[in-house]
Amino acid sequence: MNDIICFSTTAWEPIPTRKQQVMKRMPDNFRIFYIEPPITLIGPLKDPLLKPYYKKYKSNPFKVKDNLYVFSLPPIIPFFNKYRLINKINQFNIARYIKKEVFDRFVVKNPIIWTYMPNTVDILRYLPHKALVYDCIDKHSEFQGFINKQLVDNMEAKLAAKSNVVFTTAKGLYDEMKNFNKKVHLIPNGVDFEHFNKASTKLELPKVLKDVKKPILGFVGVIQNWIDIELIEYIAKLKPEWSIVLLGPVGAGINVDNLKKYPNIYMIGRVDYKELPKYISHFDVCLNIFKTNKLSQNVSPLKFYEYLATTKPIVSTSMQQVNQFSDCVYIAQGYDDFVNKCEQALNESDINLINRRLELSKDASWQNKVSQMLEILKEEGLINE
């Protein structure tokens, strides 16, 4: 039996990301203890939606399946990414909680610590473990908020150096992590192929799209500060005959008032993961709209691989991890070019492009990604057969 304690940057529900997709595909001879990121004592003041999570840890654990348990943590002290001492205090308290609720309760003795969070470098001394895996999915110091960038970078560098294996999702992250560890592997994000490939055929029309005129250019994902809202507005203004459908919630503190002024922009909000293919099946073009900055250049956009599986035309801003797919994806350089690429996508008639997207998305299945990871861990002698 292999035990994994996974420190995630996202809660298990409601939006499946790389963390959930990887952990739920681990073989039956693994026990997974998925640790959700804690909220801070002042978290609900910043984002009222966090209030239900404040006491969530009191109902631990949530059992996903026989070998996968999800744990919430008690609230922690804020400003841990600004002051190292606060982070050390938090990690000490988190370790004490995990020893009681995971190690003692489930008789865990020598697990693999699999982390997505640079600040967990300060928990390592308190939790016995046989191996450390860092799955680097973002340039964490580029996120906005209460962050000391140098501190976050320093914690990440130390975490990477201590790791037995480092996985990365993007070439930029790979290049950076190679400075700290020789055992770095580039494994970009993947896709739940069977789920999103359903959208390659027309499915039942959701009621909220009943009065939306064609063509539909669609975006799926949380609208955060790395999404180019100005580009969405630019398209809507220049092409009033196009409908732009945005599926996903708006992040805390993100101003989308300008988007609401346009009658051809439809902000649907969060859609249940199971229902997404129904909506996307009615898109004519899928939009991957990231701002061009240091953060986006180190991102492997999850939605991009999900778009690929639908086989629909994709128009994307230029991103290092997407540009390699330029043989079947429309890559735009600037706002005017983005609109031009959308026009080309709407008029696409080459079946070879569809087949190419299908082929690439099959190769990018999450099961294939997990198999690659497990093979690397076996080669390093970190897991039992």
Side-chain angles (χ1 to χ4, degrees):
M1 179 65 70
N2 299 279
D3 287 333
I4 291 179
I5 296 180
C6 174
F7 290 98
S8 178
T9 54
T10 54
W12 184 262
E13 294 178 334
I15 302 175
T17 63
R18 178 183 178 98
K19 285 80 71 174
Q20 298 95 320
Q21 299 287 10
V22 168
M23 290 299 142
K24 71 182 181 182
R25 286 174 172 78
M26 288 293 172
D28 292 339
N29 64 326
F30 282 74
R31 284 193 305 177
I32 312 299
F33 302 95
Y34 184 99
I35 313 299
E36 296 183 318
I39 65 169
T40 69
L41 293 167
I42 63 170
L45 297 177
K46 289 171 52 187
D47 184 358
L49 294 177
L50 292 176
K51 197 170 183 179
Y53 295 92
Y54 200 77
K55 297 181 179 180
K56 189 179 175 184
Y57 72 97
K58 293 187 176 181
S59 58
N60 280 331
F62 166 57
K63 186 176 179 181
V64 177
K65 55 181 183 176
D66 287 344
N67 67 332
L68 202 166
Y69 302 86
V70 176
F71 286 81
S72 299
L73 295 173
I76 60 173
I77 305 171
F79 312 117
F80 54 89
N81 276 330
K82 281 185 73 72
Y83 304 104
R84 186 70 178 270
L85 178 60
I86 292 178
N87 188 61
K88 289 180 176 180
I89 294 170
N90 283 338
Q91 297 303 317
F92 173 79
N93 289 329
I94 290 171
R96 188 169 56 179
Y97 184 84
I98 289 175
K99 279 184 176 178
K100 178 183 176 183
E101 296 296 327
V102 178
F103 279 71
D104 294 347
R105 189 171 172 182
F106 289 86
V107 195
V108 174
K109 293 185 177 179
N110 210 20
I112 296 171
I113 290 182
W114 188 305
T115 184
Y116 292 86
M117 303 181 72
N119 63 353
T120 52
V121 68
D122 288 330
I123 206 171
L124 300 177
R125 63 186 295 187
Y126 305 116
L127 297 180
H129 54 283
K130 70 176 181 180
L132 174 64
V133 175
Y134 176 38
D135 196 358
C136 179
I137 61 172
D138 284 305
K139 181 61 178 171
H140 293 276
S141 62
E142 291 299 318
F143 286 107
Q144 294 185 355
F146 300 115
I147 285 180
N148 177 329
K149 291 188 177 185
Q150 184 177 358
L151 172 61
V152 174
D153 282 338
N154 288 342
M155 289 193 294
E156 182 172 50
K158 290 180 180 179
L159 178 68
K162 290 175 179 288
S163 297
N164 298 86
V165 169
V166 177
F167 297 125
T168 63
T169 56
K171 182 62 165 54
L173 298 174
Y174 173 86
D175 292 339
E176 183 172 350
M177 292 302 108
K178 288 290 284 186
N179 294 321
F180 314 120
N181 195 315
K182 293 181 179 179
K183 296 180 180 179
V184 181
H185 303 268
L186 176 59
I187 300 183
N189 277 328
V191 60
D192 185 344
F193 175 79
E194 289 76 14
H195 184 59
F196 284 94
N197 187 244
K198 296 173 187 174
S200 62
T201 58
K202 280 290 189 291
L203 302 176
E204 176 187 354
L205 180 67
K207 290 182 180 179
V208 294
L209 297 183
K210 187 166 63 82
D211 297 323
V212 178
K213 295 179 181 179
K214 290 281 196 170
I216 295 177
L217 285 68
F219 169 87
V220 179
V222 181
I223 300 177
Q224 289 284 15
N225 55 18
W226 51 81
I227 300 302
D228 198 335
I229 295 174
E230 288 76 17
L231 176 53
I232 297 172
E233 183 181 0
Y234 184 83
I235 299 168
K237 186 175 182 179
L238 195 65
K239 293 290 183 178
E241 69 274 20
W242 294 352
S243 296
I244 301 174
V245 171
L246 308 177
L247 300 182
V250 178
I254 305 300
N255 188 340
V256 293
D257 289 345
N258 281 351
L259 298 184
K260 296 176 181 178
K261 299 175 183 178
Y262 294 89
N264 58 331
I265 293 180
Y266 300 84
M267 302 186 68
I268 307 299
R270 175 171 285 149
V271 172
D272 188 275
Y273 180 79
K274 295 178 181 178
E275 300 295 313
L276 279 176
K278 288 184 182 179
Y279 288 78
I280 303 174
S281 73
H282 296 277
F283 289 0
D284 296 290
V285 171
C286 297
L287 302 177
N288 189 58
I289 303 182
F290 278 73
K291 292 179 180 177
T292 302
N293 56 29
K294 194 169 184 179
L295 178 62
S296 66
Q297 291 310 305
N298 288 291
V299 164
S300 174
L302 197 61
K303 64 178 64 65
F304 173 75
Y305 296 94
E306 294 168 352
Y307 291 161
L308 275 180
T310 72
T311 72
K312 293 180 176 294
I314 304 167
V315 180
S316 176
T317 48
S318 180
M319 302 177 66
Q320 187 175 32
Q321 209 57 38
V322 172
N323 292 347
Q324 60 185 297
F325 299 96
S326 60
D327 61 333
C328 63
V329 173
Y330 301 87
I331 310 295
Q333 306 291 337
Y335 283 18
D336 288 333
D337 190 40
F338 198 98
V339 174
N340 291 335
K341 290 295 195 300
C342 287
E343 290 177 334
Q344 292 176 33
L346 287 170
N347 292 306
E348 181 181 285
S349 59
D350 188 350
I351 189 77
N352 292 320
L353 297 177
I354 293 175
N355 292 335
R356 178 62 175 152
R357 291 191 284 264
L358 181 64
E359 175 189 359
L360 289 169
S361 58
K362 283 182 177 179
D363 288 342
S365 73
W366 279 120
Q367 194 54 57
N368 283 347
K369 302 296 182 181
V370 172
S371 295
Q372 292 175 42
M373 291 176 167
L374 290 174
E375 190 58 38
I376 291 167
L377 297 183
K378 287 179 185 176
E379 290 174 0
E380 296 294 333
L382 303 180
I383 58 177
N384 304 319
E385 294 288 346

